[in-house]
Amino acid sequence: MKKFIGFVKKEYYHIIRDPRTLFVLIAMPIAQILLFGYVITNEIKNASIGILDHSKDEITKQISSKILSSGYFKLDASINSEQEIHEAFRKGKIKEVIVFEPHFAEKLKKEGTAKIQIIADASDPNMANLLTNYTEAIIRNYSIAITTQNTQISLITPEVRMLYNPELKGAYMFVPGIIAMLLMLISALMTSISITREKELGTMEVLLASPLNPFTVITGKVTPYLLLSFINACLILLTGYFVFNVPVNGSIILLLAECLLFIFMALSLGILISTATKTQQAAMLISLVVLMLPTILLSGFIFPVENMPLPLQYLCKIMPPKYFINIVRTIMLKGGNLATLWSDTLILFGMSIFFLMVSMRKYKIRLE
Amino acid sequence: MNFVEINNISKSYGTHKALLETSFSVKKGELFGVIGPDGAGKTTLFRILTTLLLADSGSANMAGFDILKDYKKIRQIVGYMPGKFSLYQDLTIEENLAFFATIFGTTIKENYELIKDIYIQIEPFKDRPAGKLSGGMKQKLALSCALIHKPEILILDEPTTGVDAVSRTEFWDLLRRFKEMGITIIVSTPYMDEASLCDRVALMQEGKIMQIDTPANIVKNYKPELLAIKSNNMHDLLVKLREYNLNSQVYLFGQTIHFSSNQTINQSDLNNYLKNNGHTNVEISTSIPTIEDCFLWLMKQHN
């Protein structure tokens, strides 16, 4: 036990004697979450659009002002002819053009129908989709409003409720993802680097020649980083709560406990990486490529697992972050408890034990 | 009784043979030197003894413990100082020492008496990070760390490489003192002049031990007569001496050229030969061989 404490003390010195790394470790989560929160957003705000109104009557003006006053769009340029549309798109000034056909109000009155063309810049397909959906919704609302005014025909109107994230806020989606990503990065990267650094500097040789057993070395290495990563998890949750109003609907204790479990898993992975690499650079590369990419791409963080081709879906099943992100989302947004999450938790726990066992086995008691 | 026994240890890295059937033994309380140039296999040998590497064949035991089976026991009783400075550069002198004391399950206080002589020399700087120490101080700290658990055997891999002359002398003085305390010391060095400071030495070259004996005996066993020769043209002298006797060993040694041969050399014949070849001020005298002369001679015989 004394040996263990002595080892942790030594690791603690390493961490605080390197204030630059420490600063990066603490500042990175906050910087990341702010970046994701403000830059990568799926919401539309003040998208520039153009309107080509061939009719310029009462109704087209009403629809235009409805669209522009929604807050999602802002009028960038009044377009006067079809030719100008392409010009404007090519310049990249606008994302969408709404075209009203001539004699719009007249036709609507006489024939009961009139046409609006929505042209979107699909070089960014997601954006184009969102914009047209928003526009259509506004127009649909307007048309429902005027038909119910004039005639008494009842229409079927679906009423949509978005559960758990009624405003469809991006922050709700990415806060759990960022927690997974950062905990993975810090835990795995830092432990694997700190062990390979001992190999590089030759201090591993003295450690091996001493009576320290692998268990003490590994747990001694892991403990300070477990603490550091846990602080990070709390920082991310606090920033999410205070800056982006992401709630924690479920038990905070359970959430923190699950975070600890995930950190433990990532640390074991980090040790496993360090047993297989000799240099800090190799450890860093493996941590980044082997851990970061799957955490972002194959975990359901950004892209839903259900939409992936079947082989990739199977691959996702062995990615620990997938389970963790699901756990965090369920606890934070749906207020889920252990009764609903026991299987995911058990899988994470099993993975941690597996990685730890393998790295203990692979930990070399001699020089290579 | 032999405290350390090494029997036919061999080790190769791929096709490169680092150690070839190495055997020797060290008595309790002996200061044993392994002398050889870089690449002789000294570090590999030490790493096998400290259980850090596995030998391909052969066996060894230290203080009665087998290096393979009882590696845990050996790690308890051996103090090891690797050739490369292997302490934590960002930890201070005191923190390093305390750390190594802890991992061996002891404290600085408990064994302070043992390291006192070295430690008081570096104690004024105890709050300085190890990375900012001079070469000599680093070695003293490393030695303190290797000694803090009161080892029975001390294994030091080239402790004086890269250290100034004064610190080297001090370092060897310390080693003698620890030897007197009963610690068995195995030390390697590429410096031939340090051989005479050991009780016994093994001269090592390309993974083979050429000779093991006391420094005095090694010098005594130097068979050929050693001549120290000087003249006005030292460079040409080297060439002419090599031509004079093909079965000889000729090399520049300080201000003179050391010349020795398997055959008996007549000094006046040699003098005449040099004068006929245009050398003036020729001085020929017999000289007492150093370990370096012996080493080079042995190397020649082995090749």
Side-chain angles (χ1 to χ4, degrees), chain B residues 37-51:
Chain B
D38 291 348
K42 304 187 298 286
T43 300
T44 304
L45 175 67
F46 282 13
R47 283 181 171 169
I48 290 172
L49 290 183
T50 48
T51 75

PDB file of all heavy atoms in Angstrom, chain B residues 37-51:
ATOM      1  N   PRO B  37      35.251  -2.075 -24.501  1.00  0.00           N
ATOM      2  CA  PRO B  37      34.758  -0.916 -25.266  1.00  0.00           C
ATOM      3  C   PRO B  37      33.251  -0.992 -25.475  1.00  0.00           C
ATOM      4  O   PRO B  37      32.610  -1.986 -25.100  1.00  0.00           O
ATOM      5  CB  PRO B  37      35.506  -1.040 -26.589  1.00  0.00           C
ATOM      6  CG  PRO B  37      35.815  -2.488 -26.728  1.00  0.00           C
ATOM      7  CD  PRO B  37      35.987  -3.013 -25.338  1.00  0.00           C
ATOM      8  N   ASP B  38      32.686   0.036 -26.083  1.00  0.00           N
ATOM      9  CA  ASP B  38      31.257   0.022 -26.404  1.00  0.00           C
ATOM     10  C   ASP B  38      30.963  -1.170 -27.306  1.00  0.00           C
ATOM     11  O   ASP B  38      31.733  -1.470 -28.205  1.00  0.00           O
ATOM     12  CB  ASP B  38      30.867   1.305 -27.148  1.00  0.00           C
ATOM     13  CG  ASP B  38      30.941   2.518 -26.233  1.00  0.00           C
ATOM     14  OD1 ASP B  38      31.058   2.312 -25.010  1.00  0.00           O
ATOM     15  OD2 ASP B  38      30.905   3.647 -26.737  1.00  0.00           O
ATOM     16  N   GLY B  39      29.856  -1.833 -27.064  1.00  0.00           N
ATOM     17  CA  GLY B  39      29.481  -2.957 -27.917  1.00  0.00           C
ATOM     18  C   GLY B  39      30.111  -4.268 -27.498  1.00  0.00           C
ATOM     19  O   GLY B  39      29.969  -5.274 -28.179  1.00  0.00           O
ATOM     20  N   ALA B  40      30.797  -4.266 -26.368  1.00  0.00           N
ATOM     21  CA  ALA B  40      31.444  -5.504 -25.913  1.00  0.00           C
ATOM     22  C   ALA B  40      30.426  -6.483 -25.318  1.00  0.00           C
ATOM     23  O   ALA B  40      30.700  -7.666 -25.197  1.00  0.00           O
ATOM     24  CB  ALA B  40      32.527  -5.183 -24.894  1.00  0.00           C
ATOM     25  N   GLY B  41      29.250  -5.964 -24.946  1.00  0.00           N
ATOM     26  CA  GLY B  41      28.225  -6.834 -24.359  1.00  0.00           C
ATOM     27  C   GLY B  41      28.041  -6.602 -22.867  1.00  0.00           C
ATOM     28  O   GLY B  41      27.355  -7.380 -22.197  1.00  0.00           O
ATOM     29  N   LYS B  42      28.623  -5.534 -22.355  1.00  0.00           N
ATOM     30  CA  LYS B  42      28.557  -5.282 -20.908  1.00  0.00           C
ATOM     31  C   LYS B  42      27.124  -5.014 -20.457  1.00  0.00           C
ATOM     32  O   LYS B  42      26.654  -5.590 -19.474  1.00  0.00           O
ATOM     33  CB  LYS B  42      29.438  -4.066 -20.541  1.00  0.00           C
ATOM     34  CG  LYS B  42      30.881  -4.177 -20.966  1.00  0.00           C
ATOM     35  CD  LYS B  42      31.724  -3.033 -20.424  1.00  0.00           C
ATOM     36  CE  LYS B  42      31.313  -1.659 -20.898  1.00  0.00           C
ATOM     37  NZ  LYS B  42      31.671  -1.353 -22.288  1.00  0.00           N
ATOM     38  N   THR B  43      26.434  -4.139 -21.182  1.00  0.00           N
ATOM     39  CA  THR B  43      25.069  -3.785 -20.785  1.00  0.00           C
ATOM     40  C   THR B  43      24.152  -5.006 -20.863  1.00  0.00           C
ATOM     41  O   THR B  43      23.340  -5.242 -19.956  1.00  0.00           O
ATOM     42  CB  THR B  43      24.536  -2.652 -21.672  1.00  0.00           C
ATOM     43  OG1 THR B  43      25.404  -1.529 -21.510  1.00  0.00           O
ATOM     44  CG2 THR B  43      23.137  -2.250 -21.296  1.00  0.00           C
ATOM     45  N   THR B  44      24.287  -5.791 -21.935  1.00  0.00           N
ATOM     46  CA  THR B  44      23.467  -7.005 -22.074  1.00  0.00           C
ATOM     47  C   THR B  44      23.708  -7.937 -20.888  1.00  0.00           C
ATOM     48  O   THR B  44      22.764  -8.458 -20.289  1.00  0.00           O
ATOM     49  CB  THR B  44      23.814  -7.726 -23.385  1.00  0.00           C
ATOM     50  OG1 THR B  44      23.651  -6.808 -24.459  1.00  0.00           O
ATOM     51  CG2 THR B  44      22.919  -8.923 -23.599  1.00  0.00           C
ATOM     52  N   LEU B  45      24.965  -8.112 -20.543  1.00  0.00           N
ATOM     53  CA  LEU B  45      25.306  -8.981 -19.411  1.00  0.00           C
ATOM     54  C   LEU B  45      24.645  -8.486 -18.129  1.00  0.00           C
ATOM     55  O   LEU B  45      24.022  -9.254 -17.389  1.00  0.00           O
ATOM     56  CB  LEU B  45      26.830  -9.006 -19.251  1.00  0.00           C
ATOM     57  CG  LEU B  45      27.367  -9.766 -18.049  1.00  0.00           C
ATOM     58  CD1 LEU B  45      27.076 -11.248 -18.203  1.00  0.00           C
ATOM     59  CD2 LEU B  45      28.858  -9.535 -17.884  1.00  0.00           C
ATOM     60  N   PHE B  46      24.733  -7.171 -17.896  1.00  0.00           N
ATOM     61  CA  PHE B  46      24.172  -6.612 -16.663  1.00  0.00           C
ATOM     62  C   PHE B  46      22.662  -6.726 -16.640  1.00  0.00           C
ATOM     63  O   PHE B  46      22.059  -6.952 -15.598  1.00  0.00           O
ATOM     64  CB  PHE B  46      24.609  -5.150 -16.504  1.00  0.00           C
ATOM     65  CG  PHE B  46      26.021  -5.023 -16.000  1.00  0.00           C
ATOM     66  CD1 PHE B  46      26.871  -6.112 -15.978  1.00  0.00           C
ATOM     67  CD2 PHE B  46      26.497  -3.797 -15.543  1.00  0.00           C
ATOM     68  CE1 PHE B  46      28.175  -6.003 -15.514  1.00  0.00           C
ATOM     69  CE2 PHE B  46      27.797  -3.677 -15.071  1.00  0.00           C
ATOM     70  CZ  PHE B  46      28.635  -4.777 -15.063  1.00  0.00           C
ATOM     71  N   ARG B  47      22.057  -6.539 -17.820  1.00  0.00           N
ATOM     72  CA  ARG B  47      20.586  -6.638 -17.862  1.00  0.00           C
ATOM     73  C   ARG B  47      20.134  -8.066 -17.600  1.00  0.00           C
ATOM     74  O   ARG B  47      19.062  -8.287 -17.050  1.00  0.00           O
ATOM     75  CB  ARG B  47      20.066  -6.150 -19.215  1.00  0.00           C
ATOM     76  CG  ARG B  47      20.070  -4.639 -19.292  1.00  0.00           C
ATOM     77  CD  ARG B  47      19.548  -4.157 -20.609  1.00  0.00           C
ATOM     78  NE  ARG B  47      19.352  -2.701 -20.577  1.00  0.00           N
ATOM     79  CZ  ARG B  47      19.115  -1.984 -21.644  1.00  0.00           C
ATOM     80  NH1 ARG B  47      19.030  -2.551 -22.829  1.00  0.00           N
ATOM     81  NH2 ARG B  47      18.962  -0.675 -21.538  1.00  0.00           N
ATOM     82  N   ILE B  48      20.952  -9.027 -18.020  1.00  0.00           N
ATOM     83  CA  ILE B  48      20.592 -10.424 -17.722  1.00  0.00           C
ATOM     84  C   ILE B  48      20.723 -10.677 -16.223  1.00  0.00           C
ATOM     85  O   ILE B  48      19.858 -11.286 -15.604  1.00  0.00           O
ATOM     86  CB  ILE B  48      21.463 -11.392 -18.551  1.00  0.00           C
ATOM     87  CG1 ILE B  48      21.049 -11.303 -20.017  1.00  0.00           C
ATOM     88  CG2 ILE B  48      21.326 -12.821 -18.039  1.00  0.00           C
ATOM     89  CD1 ILE B  48      21.944 -12.047 -20.969  1.00  0.00           C
ATOM     90  N   LEU B  49      21.785 -10.125 -15.638  1.00  0.00           N
ATOM     91  CA  LEU B  49      21.994 -10.336 -14.195  1.00  0.00           C
ATOM     92  C   LEU B  49      20.909  -9.661 -13.361  1.00  0.00           C
ATOM     93  O   LEU B  49      20.518 -10.174 -12.316  1.00  0.00           O
ATOM     94  CB  LEU B  49      23.359  -9.787 -13.777  1.00  0.00           C
ATOM     95  CG  LEU B  49      24.564 -10.570 -14.290  1.00  0.00           C
ATOM     96  CD1 LEU B  49      25.846  -9.969 -13.754  1.00  0.00           C
ATOM     97  CD2 LEU B  49      24.459 -12.035 -13.898  1.00  0.00           C
ATOM     98  N   THR B  50      20.415  -8.517 -13.822  1.00  0.00           N
ATOM     99  CA  THR B  50      19.375  -7.818 -13.061  1.00  0.00           C
ATOM    100  C   THR B  50      17.987  -8.335 -13.426  1.00  0.00           C
ATOM    101  O   THR B  50      16.989  -7.704 -13.090  1.00  0.00           O
ATOM    102  CB  THR B  50      19.426  -6.305 -13.307  1.00  0.00           C
ATOM    103  OG1 THR B  50      19.510  -6.077 -14.715  1.00  0.00           O
ATOM    104  CG2 THR B  50      20.620  -5.679 -12.636  1.00  0.00           C
ATOM    105  N   THR B  51      17.904  -9.448 -14.144  1.00  0.00           N
ATOM    106  CA  THR B  51      16.668 -10.127 -14.555  1.00  0.00           C
ATOM    107  C   THR B  51      15.837  -9.294 -15.519  1.00  0.00           C
ATOM    108  O   THR B  51      14.652  -9.527 -15.688  1.00  0.00           O
ATOM    109  CB  THR B  51      15.770 -10.520 -13.358  1.00  0.00           C
ATOM    110  OG1 THR B  51      15.134  -9.346 -12.852  1.00  0.00           O
ATOM    111  CG2 THR B  51      16.544 -11.203 -12.263  1.00  0.00           C
TER     112      THR B  51
END
